[in-house]
Every structure is written in structure tokens, then in C-alpha cells.
């Protein structure tokens, strides 16, 4: 459709850089997996039963690029980081068998599922949707996507987050309760996956709060680093 046919300027499409090229990965939807590492399930007060994975979404325009400074969000006093492996989808599918799931993956990256924990917990206790705790502006900083041709498929390796140089999360992707192919198989029972979808695959233990001026650095083996700073005022914007 011609741009001049819209009554207002159309919103920009979310994207992520791709390593090794000047082309970018257009982002359609952001799916997130909850409770996918036993030690994190325990720290959140849950048990370690292998319940089916839980899914939620963030809006595509909550993406923040690597190297950005983001503001401390409104309506919270307990703003948390959750470092996660990101899977980028290149091929549509529904009811995808586990054995075929890897064929749908374009590449992998590093993401932060930033969370207004106080809101999430309050809503959860009341049996209400988590949305305001998870799906808010600038809540999804992500690093560049690394194509499978460059890094292969990622199923284990160090996942580590520091805040101002202090190690806060330090685990291994091999400890995921639901592995990436199982996540894709399960998610595609609920939603038809489409090219441009990304999936944040859950966070290991060690989640905690950040405050203005903190610098977060996430690292996953083979996927480089993701660096985000929390600004010292509520007025600064992402890049
Ligand atoms: Mn998460």
C-alpha cells in the first residue's frame, strides 16, 4: 500500500541488525517464555514440575538496540533485568514437530526481558494478566541477530549478566527446562509462527533490580554482548 494512502504517517517497523551484513531482520512479534530454568522458577517461589511452557508477548516496538540508554520506566519501584537467549524465526509454521523446529530458525541473539516486577507480582497474585508488568515501552533491549550459517544452532553455552561489572546472572543455556525445538513446537500449537517473529527463551536465576545509571552487560557464548544503560532521568529516550 502506498504510504500516502495512510491518514497519518505509518509507524516505523521494528528491526534488529544482523551480524556480517548491512541488512536488518524485521521484527513482527516478540514472544517470551516464562519459567524456563529450574533455579529461576525456585527463586520466584515456584516448584520444579515440568508444566507446559507459558508464553506471553511484548509489542515489537518495545525493542531497544544494543548500546542504548533507556529511561527508568514509570509506575514501578522494582524494575528488573532478565537476560535471555533470543531465537529469530525465518519460516512460517503451525504445529511444528520438534524434529523440524530448527529449520524455522534464521539466527540467534541476546535479549533482556525487562520487567516491572512489582506490577507483575501484584497482577499475578490477583489472577490478572501480567501485561503491564512485561509489555511496556523499551522493555525489550536486543543485540544483533547472528545467522545460523555463522554460529550454528545454539543449545548450550554460558549466559551471563553483569550490572556495573558485578556478576548477577551466570548460568548455561543447557539448563533450559524446555529446549529451543520444544519451545517452537509448543508455541506453534498456540500461534502460527511467521517470518520476523522472535522468541525470548526464558531467564536463568539471579534476577534483580536496577537503578538509574546502572550499566547492564549481557553475554552469551558465540553471540557477543548486549550493553544497555539506565539513564539518570525519566526524560531520556532510547537511541
Ligand atoms: Mn523472561
Amino acid at each position: 500500500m502506498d504510504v500516502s494512502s495512510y491518514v497519518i504517517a505509518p509507524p516505523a517497523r521494528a528491526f534488529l541488525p544482523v551480524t556480517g551484513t548491512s541488512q536488518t531482520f524485521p521484527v513482527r512479534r516478540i514472544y517470551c517464555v516464562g519459567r524456563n530454568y529450574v533455579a529461576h522458577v525456585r527463586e520466584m517461589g515456584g516448584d520444579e514440575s515440568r508444566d507446559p511452557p507459558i508464553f506471553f508477548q511484548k509489542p515489537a516496538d518495545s525493542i531497544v538496540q544494543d548500546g542504548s540508554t533507556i529511561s527508568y520506566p514509570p509506575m514501578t519501584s522494582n524494575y528488573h533485568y532478565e537476560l535471555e537467549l533470543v531465537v529469530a524465526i525465518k519460516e512460517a509454521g503451525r504445529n511444528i514437530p520438534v524434529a523440524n523446529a530448527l529449520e524455522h530458525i534464521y539466527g540467534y541473539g541476546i535479549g533482556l526481558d525487562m520487567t516491572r516486577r512489582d506490577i507483575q507480582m501484584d497482577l499475578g497474585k490477583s489472577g490478572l494478566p501480567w501485561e503491564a508488568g512485561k509489555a511496556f515501552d523499551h522493555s525489550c533491549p536486543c543485540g544483533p541477530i547472528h545467522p545460523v550459517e555463522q554460529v550454528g544452532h545454539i543449545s548450550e553455552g554460558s549466559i551471563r549478566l553483569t550490572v556495573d561489572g558485578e556478576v548477577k546472572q551466570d548460568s548455561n543455556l543447557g539448563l533450559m527446562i524446555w529446549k529451543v525445538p520444544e519451545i517452537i513446537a509448543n508455541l506453534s500449537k498456540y500461534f502460527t509462527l511467521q517470518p520476523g517473529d522472535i522468541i525470548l527463551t526464558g531467564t536463568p536465576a539471579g534476577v534483580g533490580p536496577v537503578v538509574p545509571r546502572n550499566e547492564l552487560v549481557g553475554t552469551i557464548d558465540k553471540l557477543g554482548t548486549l550493553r544497555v544503560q539506565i539513564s539518570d532521568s525519566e526524560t531520556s529516550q532510547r537511541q
Side-chain angles (χ1 to χ4, degrees):
M1 190 182 281
D2 191 281
V3 167
S4 64
S5 68
Y6 294 111
V7 296
I8 58 169
R13 176 174 287 286
F15 69 93
L16 287 169
V18 176
T19 57
T21 173
S22 59
Q23 293 183 302
T24 61
F25 183 88
V27 177
R28 173 184 177 260
R29 290 187 184 171
I30 304 171
Y31 293 106
C32 301
V33 181
R35 300 175 190 156
N36 203 25
Y37 290 79
V38 169
H40 174 62
V41 173
R42 286 193 192 128
E43 77 178 347
M44 297 298 287
D47 62 38
E48 52 197 273
S49 62
R50 202 170 191 259
D51 291 331
I54 55 169
F55 302 112
F56 59 94
Q57 291 186 44
K58 290 174 182 276
D61 69 353
S62 66
I63 283 187
V64 173
Q65 304 296 343
D66 179 34
S68 295
T69 298
I70 55 175
S71 54
Y72 194 96
M75 304 298 287
T76 184
S77 54
N78 198 18
Y79 180 38
H80 274 210
Y81 53 77
E82 296 188 359
L83 185 67
E84 313 200 357
L85 173 71
V86 175
V87 176
I89 299 295
K90 69 175 181 184
E91 193 177 304
R94 57 191 288 266
N95 295 320
I96 299 168
V98 169
N100 298 347
L102 294 180
E103 298 164 15
H104 293 258
I105 298 174
Y106 175 78
Y108 296 87
I110 305 179
L112 279 162
D113 168 17
M114 298 304 290
T115 301
R116 293 192 281 211
R117 190 73 72 200
D118 38 6
I119 294 180
Q120 182 201 12
M121 299 302 262
D122 287 349
L123 291 170
K125 271 182 229 152
S126 308
L128 294 167
W130 283 359
E131 187 157 355
K134 287 288 193 180
F136 54 95
D137 294 342
H138 309 168
S139 61
C140 195
C142 281
I145 299 300
H146 298 251
V148 168
E149 308 93 80
Q150 290 174 21
V151 295
H153 286 287
I154 307 284
S155 59
E156 57 179 16
S158 167
I159 175 169
R160 195 163 186 262
L161 178 85
T162 63
V163 177
D164 292 347
E166 189 180 328
V167 178
K168 298 289 191 180
Q169 295 189 282
D170 192 4
S171 186
N172 194 291
L173 300 173
L175 295 175
M176 281 186 194
I177 297 170
W178 295 93
K179 312 303 182 194
V180 168
E182 295 171 319
I183 291 169
I184 289 172
N186 268 284
L187 183 61
S188 71
K189 292 179 187 170
Y190 292 90
F191 307 97
T192 300
L193 296 185
Q194 298 287 354
D197 291 343
I198 65 170
I199 307 167
L200 275 69
T201 54
T203 197
V207 300
V210 291
V211 296
R213 288 186 289 280
N214 278 164
E215 186 189 47
L216 287 68
V217 180
T219 312
I220 294 179
D221 276 356
K222 297 184 178 178
L223 302 180
T225 59
L226 167 64
R227 193 176 298 266
V228 177
Q229 177 125 29
I230 314 299
S231 74
D232 58 3
S233 79
E234 290 195 359
T235 54
S236 56
Q237 298 293 313
R238 62 178 166 170
Q239 288 181 6

